[in-house]
C-alpha cells in the first residue's frame, strides 16, 4: 500500500533514486523523522535523519501488512 509522507509509520519502506536508477535505495522508516538503512560496508547499518538529500531523492513509501 502506498503511503503519503504525512502518514509514515515505523516500519514503512522508503524508496529513493540512486545511481541513475528510478529506485536504487531502500530504507525503513524508524519514526520521529529518522530512517534505518545502509549504503556501504564501511558505514554499516545506521539511523539517519530523513531530510535533506533523502527528501530530495524520495520516490515513494510503502506499508507492508
Amino acid at each position: 500500500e502506498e503511503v503519503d509522507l504525512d502518514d509514515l509509520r515505523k516500519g514503512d519502506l522508503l524508496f529513493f533514486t540512486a545511481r541513475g536508477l528510478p529506485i536504487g535505495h531502500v530504507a525503513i522508516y524508524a519514526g520521529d523523522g529518522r530512517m534505518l538503512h545502509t549504503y556501504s560496508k564501511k558505514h554499516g547499518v545506521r539511523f539517519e535523519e530523513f531530510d535533506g538529500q533523502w527528501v530530495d531523492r524520495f520516490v515513494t513509501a510503502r506499508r507492508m501488512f
Side-chain angles (χ1 to χ4, degrees):
E1 169 183 350
E2 189 167 1
V3 179
D4 291 329
L5 280 179
D6 297 341
D7 192 33
L8 289 175
R9 295 184 197 162
K10 291 178 182 178
D12 288 345
L13 300 178
L14 307 172
F15 296 87
F16 305 91
T17 60
R19 299 179 304 279
L21 300 170
I23 301 289
H25 188 74
V26 180
I28 300 169
Y29 187 67
D32 298 322
R34 300 183 74 192
M35 61 185 199
L36 179 67
H37 70 133
T38 185
Y39 51 88
S40 75
K41 289 181 182 181
K42 177 182 176 185
H43 294 290
V45 177
R46 56 192 265 173
F47 284 99
E48 192 165 339
E49 296 298 318
F50 178 36
D51 61 9
Q53 72 157 330
W54 297 112
V55 172
D56 293 343
R57 294 172 44 196
F58 176 77
V59 176
T60 190
R62 301 292 171 145
R63 183 165 298 143
M64 309 307 277
F65 291 96

